[in-house]
Amino acid sequence: MKKRLLFICMANTNRSPTFERYFKKHFPKKFEVKSTGTYYGYPEQLTEKLLIWADKVYCMDLSQELFIKNHFPKYLNKVQVIGISDQYDPDSPELIELIEYWLLKIGGINNGNIL
């Protein structure tokens, strides 16, 4: 069974959708992936339904983790913070490089952090 990953940023326009596309492209047989944001009025809004769906929840920075703590605290056990600031264009080479560095830093996808 595929693991379900949820990537969260503020507006779901740059960081989290880039992670979603990257994982769908590189690991289509290993993961189901979705992305969302914490700000209202943007393409996708974080809901409890998404948090229930996800096996792992990856926040781009601490503000999304705090949002979950304040609105959906019982799901904090699924959350990890990646630590990528909101300064990159979607799918930019710099953001892709950070995704690949993050994967390298956590030991890839087979070390238990993502599995």
Side-chain angles (χ1 to χ4, degrees):
M1 186 162 107
K2 292 181 183 181
K3 294 291 181 179
R4 295 175 304 233
L5 309 180
L6 178 62
F7 292 98
I8 303 173
C9 65
M10 291 184 297
N12 194 40
T13 56
N14 295 345
R15 295 172 292 171
S16 59
T18 300
F19 269 81
E20 179 181 4
R21 286 187 290 274
Y22 183 91
F23 272 74
K24 284 181 175 178
K25 177 181 177 182
H26 291 91
F27 310 108
K29 294 181 181 179
K30 193 161 191 86
F31 303 110
E32 289 183 57
V33 185
K34 294 182 180 183
S35 65
T36 190
T38 56
Y39 282 5
Y40 294 105
Y42 282 89
E44 181 73 37
Q45 175 67 45
L46 178 61
T47 63
E48 185 172 21
K49 184 177 178 180
L50 283 170
L51 292 168
I52 291 167
W53 171 86
D55 296 313
K56 290 277 192 167
V57 176
Y58 292 98
C59 296
M60 295 298 126
D61 58 52
L62 289 171
S63 65
Q64 293 89 46
E65 183 182 43
L66 182 60
F67 183 91
I68 292 170
K69 178 184 180 289
N70 290 335
H71 293 87
F72 309 104
K74 70 181 182 179
Y75 301 101
L76 273 175
N77 62 322
K78 294 183 176 189
V79 173
Q80 290 184 355
V81 176
I82 295 172
I84 294 180
S85 61
D86 191 19
Q87 64 191 44
Y88 303 98
D89 292 328
D91 302 306
S92 68
E94 297 85 5
L95 186 50
I96 299 299
E97 183 179 28
L98 287 172
I99 293 170
E100 292 172 347
Y101 176 72
W102 173 70
L103 285 170
L104 180 65
K105 183 178 173 185
I106 64 168
I109 63 169
N110 293 317
N111 73 342
N113 284 333
I114 289 185
L115 294 179

